[in-house]
Amino acid sequence: MQERLIRVAVGRPVEGPFTYRLPDELAKALEPGRRLVVPFGRARAVGFCLGPEEGPPPKGLRDVVAALDDGPLFDAPLLDLLTWAARYYRHPLGEVLRAALPPALSGCEPAPQTPASLGRAEWVALTDEGRTSAPRGSRMKAIRDYLATASSDGVPLAELVAALPSSREALRRLVDQGLCRVWQADRLAPHVEIGPGAQSPPTPTPEQSAALVEIQSAVEARRFAPFLLHGVTGSGKTEVYLRSIERALSLGLGALVLVPEIALTPQLVGRFRARFGPQVALLHSGLRDGERLAEWRRLREGRARLAVGVRSAIFAPVERLGIVVVDEEHDGSFKQEEGFRYSARDLAVVRAQQRGCPVVLGSATPSLETLHNARVGRYRLLRLAHRVDDRPMPEVRLVDLRESRGHIAAAFPQLAGRMRMNAMDAERQQAAEPGADYRLASSRHARAPHIAQPAPSAADLPRAKAPLVSPQLAQAIEETLDRGRQAILFLNRRGSTTYHLCLSCGRALGCPNCAVSLTLHGQRGELLCHYCGERTPLPERCELCDGPIERLGMGTEQVEAELARVFPRARVERLDRDTASRPDELTERLASFARGERDILIGTQMVAKGHDFPGVLLVGVLLADLALNLPDFRAAERTFQLLTQVAGRAGRGREPGRVIVQTFSPEASAVARVVGHDFDGFAEAELSIRRAFHYPPFCRLMLCRLDGPNDPVTAEAARRVAQVVGEAIRCSGNSLRLLGPSPAPLSRLKGRVRWQMLVKGPTAASLSAIAQIIERERSRLKSDVRLSIDIDPLSLL
């Protein structure tokens, strides 16, 4: 009897596929997408069947050990997408397939049963008393706020624990107090319903109606159509999503919505839940393994037809996919930066193309790559140029912080002198090397033994001498509070102080593992590295010269303390990763602010996206320059996007809002054009720079990064790879260009030295041959040097 041979993608970081022999008793496992257990080396590994092996049998064949599950975990279209992604992003297919599954299905064990505690048919809702109560405890309040956004019919218990992990004990207390009820239902509703407790959908604006005509036509025709929905903040993009999805579901199709991790709040989920009831399945990083598996199964079995999730939800098993939506398509969290380095936004376009359905990319500040695709006709541009009900855009005013220079120079003359020297050095370098700000590597500071990062800019100098809150912003806050309204203050830095310097010898306190400074977290009383987690007490004196340690820079903790001092009667809430590390903490703080229980919300980018607070009339940006001068060609674009997004939180109710932006660079295009909400002007200026220096969207990029135990070993490996790549480029005759190798701007991370090189090419296909050469050289490197390839890199740091 002829041997039955199959090709298997093994879930390990190795190239494949591999050939295995399928025993007769496992003959039914010859289905592409089936999960298997196979011997690999001296151990067993999870593998995935790719189909029969057609070629001659190799020597040393081994048998498949077991077939898991009751059938394939990937249908043919999803398997095609994953195969394409593995090839395009240069990553082993077996690991790609593992990454597309819930963690509970990524090993060699049979699929666990859905935990009984999730209750497939259990539902939960507030009682009448619960809707008017104010329970104690943040978790109980988070549950109350989440259920209050749903219809009186309640929500599946599985959805509640998916949205609010660790909520079971708090829910039990609410039930004991008579504030919630839990009951059994026969099954989840199979059709879309708008619960009686949900608000009626608003009437579309003319701009929304025009966009809906085009999107819904593509849904009905079952044809691929990529749309860029470019709408200003508050223009009603979410309502366009909802109505487009509603049309798809009414035709018996499924839908997939991707949102940035930071925007997946109960406020957003509540809108989808109120419109579509139990059809919604949530997929995000806050889920436990069992909860994520339960949601995944609901989609795979067709009991939920709308997946709402973050980056990894692009692989959700949505049945009969009819539309894909990517909200805030410009957001960097859609790009996976480690391991399988994929872009969920770009894969959303590929998946829609393969399935023959429309994809909607929405943003108030589209990425320049997406905008360029719309301008050259690859995408259809749909504009929402006005806010709903013709509400005005907030007035934006810049405050020039350079007026504080006198205070800085008087207090710290040696630091002010160093600032002037650094500025002159930068001007001379720019004159000698045009476009130097686009270089991969930063300056000599990356390798200086006694300095962990460049000497402080004006933004990092003592804030006690230049107030955190300018007089203009302080007056605006006072006026807002007097009117009984709310304010949001934005600073994209956690902690208290961010740079600690000996005033005698100039030594900076840096992380011993990473080329960054340590941040003081006042409540903990310790210095913390935000990259590797290194913790150490803040010394009172310098260890080298016994000089005094000066605390410089500012973070959200320091801002919170100063606001409490300047506005003692204001109720201040801080929102960052320190205060809202759990989903229920984030939910409670946002809900408390939405209820008007807090007057001022100070936070990092958590406050910038996805929130709709009608009571917010003022937004203050404390330091607009933080990311503007990073050695990355996208620095200006990211700055403009973030400033525009946070400014859009103001004036979303009936009253007009205003925005005050404090900056040391008021002339910079990324800052100045925020004043007039001038995205088009910024885009034109930035695109002209990109075109001149040949950066995306006018080329494609491939980043090759090496990390090793020390600088000599890593540098030698990088130079050897670059030499081979450079020779291949010269011989190819293609319009390719190699930049580097050079130390990465973040030259040391978690104890390993990092070097990198960048390859530019006119198309993705033009980079493929170079990627193969780099992969060949990777196999020749020493075992203590690692090499990664990043196709279409988002960050060059």
Side-chain angles (χ1 to χ4, degrees):
M1 188 175 183
Q2 186 177 5
E3 292 181 321
R4 188 179 286 108
L5 306 181
I6 63 171
R7 293 180 298 115
V8 176
V10 179
R12 296 285 180 86
V14 292
E15 297 299 328
F18 297 87
T19 302
Y20 285 87
R21 184 171 45 235
L22 191 66
D24 292 341
E25 61 271 20
L26 299 178
K28 293 183 178 180
L30 188 57
E31 301 171 283
R34 187 74 178 264
R35 191 165 59 116
L36 308 171
V37 178
V38 296
F40 195 78
R42 297 182 179 180
R44 293 181 176 181
V46 65
F48 301 90
C49 177
L50 301 179
E53 175 59 74
E54 304 294 347
K59 296 180 180 180
L61 278 179
R62 305 174 75 179
D63 289 350
V64 173
V65 175
L68 304 174
D69 315 306
D70 56 358
L73 298 184
F74 306 103
D75 60 17
L78 189 52
L79 189 57
D80 288 343
L81 174 72
L82 293 166
T83 303
W84 184 94
R87 184 171 60 252
Y88 182 80
Y89 290 108
R90 321 295 303 189
H91 200 77
L93 177 57
E95 284 211 321
V96 171
L97 295 173
R98 283 187 65 194
L101 290 174
L105 298 178
S106 63
C108 296
E109 300 77 22
Q113 296 297 316
T114 303
S117 60
L118 290 180
R120 285 185 175 183
E122 286 184 285
W123 286 65
V124 59
L126 292 172
T127 62
D128 291 341
E129 182 182 356
R131 290 188 175 277
T132 59
S133 68
R136 296 181 179 180
S138 62
R139 293 183 179 178
M140 289 195 290
K141 288 181 179 179
I143 293 173
R144 190 276 312 274
D145 293 329
Y146 186 86
L147 295 177
T149 65
S151 75
S152 58
D153 290 340
V155 302
L157 183 56
E159 177 189 319
L160 178 67
V161 297
L164 302 174
S166 306
S167 61
R168 293 179 181 83
E169 180 59 28
L171 176 61
R172 185 190 62 77
R173 293 197 299 269
L174 288 171
V175 172
D176 291 344
Q177 296 172 18
L179 304 181
C180 284
R181 60 190 180 97
V182 178
W183 72 97
Q184 296 285 331
D186 291 336
R187 57 173 293 159
L188 296 175
H191 302 297
V192 179
E193 296 177 355
I194 298 177
Q199 296 181 351
S200 298
T203 301
T205 66
E207 289 180 331
Q208 288 174 325
S209 297
L212 285 167
V213 167
E214 297 207 35
I215 298 172
Q216 291 179 347
S217 295
V219 170
E220 294 163 359
R222 300 295 307 275
R223 61 178 171 85
F224 170 63
F227 295 100
L228 167 57
L229 183 63
H230 183 192
V232 299
T233 56
S235 60
K237 293 184 291 295
T238 303
E239 183 60 28
V240 175
Y241 305 153
L242 291 169
R243 287 180 176 270
S244 300
I245 292 167
E246 191 169 25
R247 183 57 182 148
L249 297 184
S250 70
L251 296 173
L253 304 175
L256 172 60
V257 178
L258 300 181
V259 298
E261 178 83 50
I262 203 168
L264 190 58
T265 64
Q267 185 181 51
L268 175 67
V269 173
R271 293 190 66 178
F272 282 93
R273 177 67 185 86
R275 190 71 64 93
F276 303 119
Q279 296 293 323
V280 179
L282 301 180
L283 298 170
H284 61 88
S285 61
L287 304 182
R288 296 178 180 177
D289 289 355
E291 295 161 353
R292 187 168 179 178
L293 176 60
E295 294 292 88
W296 183 87
R297 278 176 166 160
R298 289 179 61 218
L299 289 165
R300 185 167 178 256
E301 296 167 5
R303 295 183 291 114
R305 291 188 290 152
L306 169 56
V308 179
V310 296
R311 179 177 58 230
S312 60
I314 184 59
F315 307 121
V318 179
E319 293 290 307
R320 301 191 67 212
L321 186 62
I323 186 172
V324 181
V325 172
V326 184
D327 188 30
E328 308 292 359
E329 65 85 27
H330 66 276
D331 195 276
S333 67
F334 287 125
K335 173 71 177 191
Q336 172 71 29
E337 297 288 354
E338 298 292 336
F340 175 30
R341 295 172 170 83
Y342 66 94
S343 166
R345 179 200 63 193
D346 295 347
L347 284 181
V349 177
V350 176
R351 187 171 185 183
Q353 185 177 32
Q354 291 181 345
R355 295 306 299 264
C357 72
V359 55
V360 181
L361 309 178
S363 178
T365 54
S367 69
L368 295 184
E369 289 90 341
T370 300
L371 179 68
H372 180 72
N373 281 332
R375 289 184 172 183
V376 299
R378 296 191 187 101
Y379 298 169
R380 178 80 171 96
L381 177 61
L382 307 174
R383 296 295 295 263
L384 303 179
H386 303 87
R387 283 187 160 184
V388 173
D389 296 332
D390 286 326
R391 296 169 188 166
M393 296 295 292
E395 175 191 1
V396 181
R397 178 184 177 189
L398 300 183
V399 174
D400 189 347
L401 293 178
R402 293 175 297 185
E403 298 173 359
S404 302
R405 278 178 175 173
H407 299 291
I408 296 171
F412 295 95
Q414 73 181 83
L415 294 184
R418 184 178 299 174
M419 285 171 54
R420 288 192 295 271
M421 291 177 62
N422 286 345
M424 289 187 292
D425 285 347
E427 290 174 2
R428 284 193 293 268
Q429 179 177 330
Q430 185 70 16
E433 185 178 351
D437 55 325
Y438 280 80
R439 290 169 55 194
L440 281 178
S442 57
S443 67
R444 58 195 179 279
H445 302 292
R447 295 185 292 278
H450 64 288
I451 292 238
Q453 67 177 31
S457 65
D460 281 319
L461 287 173
R463 301 283 80 212
K465 308 302 179 182
L468 297 173
V469 179
S470 64
Q472 299 92 323
L473 180 56
Q475 180 179 351
I477 293 174
E478 187 171 0
E479 292 170 355
T480 301
L481 297 178
D482 288 344
R483 296 176 60 181
R485 297 297 184 263
Q486 296 170 296
I488 291 178
L489 300 185
F490 169 70
L491 177 65
N492 208 20
R493 269 186 180 171
R494 300 190 280 142
S496 179
T497 51
T498 59
Y499 195 85
H500 306 88
L501 189 73
C502 173
L503 295 180
S504 296
C505 69
R507 173 178 176 263
L509 301 185
C511 175
N513 306 314
C514 309
V516 298
S517 62
L518 296 171
T519 298
L520 177 65
H521 287 253
Q523 293 181 348
R524 303 174 185 172
E526 61 184 2
L527 297 171
L528 174 66
C529 175
H530 290 169
Y531 287 88
C532 72
E534 174 76 16
R535 299 171 185 269
T536 184
L538 174 65
E540 295 183 2
R541 313 290 296 183
C542 176
E543 297 177 356
L544 297 183
C545 71
D546 199 40
I549 299 295
E550 182 65 33
R551 305 179 184 185
L552 309 176
M554 62 175 175
T556 49
E557 276 189 33
Q558 188 179 355
V559 175
E560 181 185 30
E562 178 156 324
L563 289 174
R565 178 182 64 82
V566 177
F567 305 101
R569 289 179 293 180
R571 300 166 297 176
V572 180
E573 183 75 82
R574 176 162 58 93
L575 188 66
D576 55 30
R577 198 174 298 175
D578 296 325
T579 64
S581 58
R582 301 194 314 264
D584 55 326
E585 292 175 327
L586 174 62
T587 298
E588 169 54 25
R589 279 169 169 75
L590 291 175
S592 175
F593 190 68
R595 293 192 298 265
E597 297 172 0
R598 295 292 184 270
D599 302 311
I600 302 174
L601 182 65
I602 166 68
T604 58
Q605 60 179 335
M606 283 184 171
V607 305
K609 308 168 189 174
H611 310 307
D612 192 347
F613 301 123
V616 172
L617 298 190
L618 173 67
V619 166
V621 178
L622 298 184
L623 198 56
D625 316 73
L626 280 178
L628 187 58
N629 295 309
L630 291 175
D632 191 313
F633 72 93
R634 288 191 174 94
E637 180 183 8
R638 291 195 187 103
T639 297
F640 179 85
Q641 289 168 340
L642 195 52
L643 294 179
T644 299
Q645 292 288 339
V646 71
R649 301 313 104 197
R652 297 175 74 95
R654 296 292 179 182
E655 300 176 78
R658 56 176 168 165
V659 181
I660 294 180
V661 178
Q662 300 182 163
T663 176
F664 284 96
S665 308
E667 302 89 357
S669 176
V671 177
R673 293 188 184 276
V674 174
V675 174
H677 308 281
D678 185 11
F679 173 82
D680 291 335
F682 169 78
E684 287 298 331
E686 188 68 12
L687 284 171
S688 66
I689 296 174
R690 300 275 185 93
R691 185 182 292 106
F693 291 100
H694 201 55
Y695 275 85
F698 304 104
C699 76
R700 304 299 289 266
L701 298 181
M702 176 173 63
L703 179 66
C704 174
R705 179 173 289 134
L706 298 94
D707 64 87
N710 55 57
D711 192 76
V713 170
T714 311
E716 174 59 27
R719 294 188 184 103
R720 189 165 61 250
V721 174
Q723 182 178 4
V724 175
V725 171
E727 182 63 26
I729 289 176
R730 285 189 293 271
C731 295
S732 67
N734 293 332
S735 54
L736 301 175
R737 183 181 177 190
L738 173 66
L739 301 182
S742 63
L746 185 55
S747 60
R748 190 174 67 257
L749 183 65
K750 299 180 181 179
R752 294 182 66 83
V753 174
R754 307 162 83 235
W755 277 64
Q756 63 190 32
M757 63 195 80
L758 190 69
V759 182
K760 296 181 179 181
T763 63
S766 67
L767 299 175
S768 180
I770 301 301
Q772 292 178 8
I773 293 172
I774 294 175
E775 288 170 340
R776 185 181 66 230
E777 291 301 311
R778 176 167 54 190
S779 64
R780 301 173 180 173
L781 295 175
K782 295 181 179 180
S783 59
D784 56 354
V785 176
R786 300 181 303 213
L787 184 152
S788 64
I789 296 175
D790 191 353
I791 304 296
D792 302 329
L794 195 64
S795 172
L796 301 185
L797 299 182

